[in-house]
Amino acid sequence: MMIPERPSLERRVLGALDGSVGNAGPRIPVILGGCGSGRTSLLLRLRDLIGRTQAQYVHVERIATTPERFLRSLREASPFPAHPYGVAQGAEPGARDAFDAALAFLDTARTPSAAPATFLLDEFLELRTFESFPGLRSVLRDLIGALAASGNRFVLTTRYAARAQRLLRDAPAAFEIIHVAPLSAAEIRATLPGAHGEEHGMRGNEEEQDRERDELARLVQTLSDGRPSYARAIAETAVTMAARGGPDPVGALAALLAPGGQLAHACGYCYELRLHRARGYGALKAILEVLSEEEPLTLTEIAQRLRRTPGSTKDYLSWLEDVDLIVSRMKRYSFADPMLRLWVRLHCRPVPPSEEEIARELHAYMQARLPHAEPALAMAGGQPAEREKSWGIIEID
């Protein structure tokens, strides 16, 4: 399965850059999306659409070490002509000087044809790490001000939606927040093996294969919640596992969430990354375990289960919201990512889950997402005898 193209999203971003949508003039798109939502893939595709000599992709999260090294990495990897930007020849800039030089580069760099440059800054909020250096206490505000006043073009992304929205609350009108929407079943269908003529385990004539691909795409969309990284893993694994019968997305998800599975690793990474960006590590994990057992819950219900005061629990919940691990709707809290909740139920326990435990949890996950799931579950395993061997999905009450 290839990375899905998102034509409507790409058009919206490009339209914001050149001011062709609405009457607001050129804007700076800020792409918000959770782990695995396709932000990086979008930026890399935009780089190719705009042109690699016209646009520079920068993985800020990987090079935001010190301001001096960030400046060097930014310039050395750039397709744009480099200039000293006020640094005396032979001198080593300090942290403040290096950051100012980086802002100057972003502001004044031009393409080889002297046109305005486009910078695609992935995980731009990671520049906040520079605020621990002397003279750098307002890095993100300085960045926002410099980008808004520049004649160059910028696209920003981050996985931390709440923090970005708070930062941009009083920012110039040049910034346009764009949330990455989940993949639709049709978008997933277009990327499935067989969508362009391959067979890959599909049964029957062409019409039957089309129906099976439609059903597979619908199930993958439901299981993955439309998140591109989850959808890709489930679809690819389902097709790979289809040695007998049709692709089995439910069995594929079970394998992916087993200890050592691809999605087990991906969810574990997202879980730890976000918790380490927040305060109150241990208490936050406890709240996530509480919500994995039952959701949505009110503040009072969570405080009672946690055996903490409502005041301290409210602080913990706000820290979880700050890194987008939970959401609040009508004063009731739940996981932002249903797959991560399933992962917590499976893996935040004393011992790794067994195949039977994975099957039981996955059955509950399916029932919650597809209340009338029996036809879909039946589709997921071929003949009855085969289904009994496929993670026991059908037999578990």
Side-chain angles (χ1 to χ4, degrees):
M1 178 178 172
M2 60 186 176
I3 297 290
E5 298 178 4
R6 310 293 298 273
S8 59
L9 179 58
E10 292 162 7
R11 284 195 299 271
R12 180 175 176 184
V13 173
L14 293 172
L17 284 175
D18 62 23
S20 62
V21 178
N23 298 316
R27 295 180 299 286
I28 300 173
V30 183
I31 313 299
L32 307 183
C35 296
S37 59
R39 301 177 316 277
T40 297
S41 299
L42 171 66
L43 290 191
L44 293 175
R45 179 158 168 78
L46 288 172
R47 180 187 61 178
D48 291 336
L49 290 172
I50 296 169
R52 296 195 177 204
T53 63
Q54 311 299 307
Q56 179 178 356
Y57 169 81
V58 182
H59 199 321
V60 175
E61 189 173 35
R62 293 291 177 260
I63 63 172
T65 53
T66 68
E68 298 91 334
R69 295 183 67 86
F70 174 78
L71 171 63
R72 187 176 70 185
S73 297
L74 182 66
R75 292 175 60 186
E76 288 180 350
S78 181
F80 311 130
H83 301 285
Y85 295 99
V87 177
Q89 188 171 3
E92 287 294 331
R96 180 75 241 186
D97 288 339
F99 183 67
D100 287 342
L103 293 184
F105 179 81
L106 294 173
D107 177 30
T108 62
R110 294 295 183 266
T111 69
S113 61
T118 300
F119 288 94
L120 311 170
L121 303 181
D122 205 356
E123 291 298 339
F124 80 101
L125 289 183
E126 291 303 303
L127 289 174
R128 182 182 180 184
T129 59
F130 294 163
E131 295 185 353
S132 62
F133 291 88
L136 293 172
R137 293 292 179 267
S138 57
V139 165
L140 291 177
R141 289 199 301 273
D142 293 348
L143 174 73
I144 293 303
L147 300 190
S150 176
N152 280 334
R153 310 195 308 172
F154 305 92
V155 181
L156 314 179
T157 77
T158 181
R159 62 170 65 90
Y160 299 108
R163 291 181 174 181
Q165 290 172 307
R166 188 165 59 250
L167 172 68
L168 297 172
R169 187 175 299 147
D170 300 317
F175 293 88
E176 178 179 339
I177 291 177
I178 299 175
H179 293 270
V180 179
L183 289 173
S184 67
E187 287 174 317
I188 293 173
R189 169 70 168 80
T191 66
L192 290 174
H196 305 286
E198 307 96 335
E199 290 291 330
H200 292 293
M202 298 293 181
R203 299 164 293 184
N205 58 36
E206 185 174 344
E207 183 177 348
E208 292 171 339
Q209 290 176 12
D210 283 341
R211 283 198 300 269
E212 191 166 342
R213 289 189 194 100
D214 289 341
E215 180 66 10
L216 174 61
R218 186 182 69 82
L219 267 176
V220 168
Q221 198 278 337
T222 299
L223 290 170
S224 66
D225 203 37
R227 192 163 298 217
S229 64
Y230 297 164
R232 182 183 185 187
I234 294 168
E236 287 182 344
T237 304
V239 171
T240 300
M241 293 172 61
R244 292 182 299 172
D248 178 4
V250 180
L253 181 55
L256 290 163
L257 285 171
Q262 180 181 343
L263 289 190
H265 282 303
C267 289
Y269 171 80
C270 180
Y271 174 84
E272 292 293 345
L273 177 67
R274 290 182 182 274
L275 284 176
H276 281 291
R277 291 293 195 275
R279 300 169 61 188
Y281 180 79
L284 302 193
K285 290 203 298 183
I287 289 178
L288 292 176
E289 289 179 17
V290 166
L291 290 175
S292 76
E293 295 164 1
E294 183 182 356
E295 67 170 19
L297 294 175
T298 65
L299 166 62
T300 300
E301 291 168 334
I302 294 170
Q304 290 172 345
R305 287 163 171 77
L306 203 63
R307 296 181 179 273
R308 294 293 186 273
T309 65
S312 62
T313 303
K314 177 64 174 176
D315 287 339
Y316 299 145
L317 290 168
S318 70
W319 298 339
L320 285 168
E321 287 183 290
D322 184 50
V323 292
D324 305 289
L325 277 167
I326 64 171
V327 294
S328 173
R329 298 183 180 92
M330 300 180 67
K331 298 184 179 182
R332 299 176 70 84
Y333 296 89
S334 57
F335 272 78
D337 179 358
M339 187 74 74
L340 191 61
R341 178 176 186 256
L342 176 59
W343 178 87
V344 170
R345 290 182 63 86
L346 286 171
H347 292 277
C348 292
R349 52 173 69 193
V351 297
S354 65
E355 291 187 4
E356 290 75 18
E357 289 168 330
I358 293 173
R360 181 164 54 251
E361 292 294 345
L362 186 52
H363 182 78
Y365 177 78
M366 282 289 295
Q367 290 292 86
R369 301 192 65 75
L370 286 174
H372 306 291
E374 287 307 316
L377 290 172
M379 175 265 183
Q383 299 302 315
E386 294 173 344
R387 290 201 303 273
E388 291 177 1
K389 294 183 288 184
S390 181
W391 300 92
I393 298 293
I394 297 300
E395 297 75 26
I396 291 181
D397 297 324

